[in-house]
Amino acid sequence: TAEEVAAIIGPVFQNEGKAVDEAFLVGLAKRSRLNPREALERAKEMLSHHHFDRHAYPLTQQGLERMSAEVWQVDEHGLRRIDYKYLKALESNPKGLNALVSLLPVGREEIVNVIEPYLLQLETIRQTGSGRELTERGRLVLRGRDRSS
């Protein structure tokens, strides 16, 4: 969970003598796709940017949002542009893996090993007998993205 990953990355900030709140840590965990290794790397990167320019990259929600947009290019869920392209490809109807490979600018391995596991974890897609299908939650995520674009 985001809270479990937040507990893992909290000491990175504590060891540097930096106080951050739980919401910041949970936000960082989500932007790291709930992956502890990625969250640890991003925590160190966040600290590095903060040490370089603490006004541009404060250890706050605002600083986290700036890092997400400018450096990591992810939204508050940890979704990248390619994740949204994947979801958009499923908007009209379910698609098989071969169709997705032909529609997206990434290979089969990235789809199967990187994109799909996280989208399944977020419950934005499901795998059915007729292919990958967008869930209601996936539609909500897409609509939220469309409003902010």
Side-chain angles (χ1 to χ4, degrees), residues 129-146:
S130 57
R132 280 81 169 149
E133 181 177 76
L134 196 61
T135 64
E136 188 55 37
R137 184 167 187 189
R139 291 184 200 295
L140 290 172
V141 167
L142 268 180
R143 279 199 290 270
R145 175 68 172 191
D146 289 342

Side-chain angles (χ1 to χ4, degrees), residues 8-149:
I8 292 169
I9 60 177
V12 172
F13 296 95
Q14 291 170 351
N15 292 342
E16 292 287 325
K18 302 295 181 186
V20 294
D21 63 22
E22 182 72 12
F24 174 88
L25 294 172
V26 168
L28 181 54
K30 288 178 180 178
R31 286 166 172 85
S32 302
R33 300 171 81 95
L34 305 180
N35 179 313
R37 181 175 295 141
E38 189 169 337
L40 287 167
E41 289 174 15
R42 289 194 170 170
K44 291 173 188 170
E45 194 173 7
M46 185 82 203
L47 278 169
S48 175
H49 278 71
H50 176 72
H51 289 309
F52 178 72
D53 188 345
R54 70 188 62 219
H55 298 292
Y57 301 101
L59 299 177
T60 62
Q61 282 301 129
Q62 182 182 8
L64 187 56
E65 288 168 10
R66 184 170 187 180
M67 281 290 288
S68 299
E70 294 178 6
V71 179
W72 303 321
Q73 297 180 352
V74 298
D75 70 3
E76 69 275 10
H77 306 291
L79 296 174
R80 305 164 299 156
R81 282 191 184 113
I82 191 62
D83 300 313
Y84 280 100
K85 286 181 181 179
Y86 180 105
L87 293 173
K88 196 89 168 142
L90 298 180
E91 199 168 30
S92 59
N93 57 1
K95 305 247 181 340
L97 182 57
N98 289 335
L100 289 165
V101 168
S102 69
L103 291 169
L104 300 171
V106 294
R108 177 181 302 268
E109 291 76 25
E110 183 165 350
I111 291 172
V112 171
N113 297 324
V114 179
I115 297 171
E116 288 182 339
Y118 188 60
L119 294 178
L120 285 163
Q121 184 178 4
L122 289 180
E123 298 178 348
T124 55
I125 64 167
R126 70 175 145 256
Q127 294 179 338
T128 69
S130 57
R132 280 81 169 149
E133 181 177 76
L134 196 61
T135 64
E136 188 55 37
R137 184 167 187 189
R139 291 184 200 295
L140 290 172
V141 167
L142 268 180
R143 279 199 290 270
R145 175 68 172 191
D146 289 342
R147 275 196 301 272
S148 67
S149 294

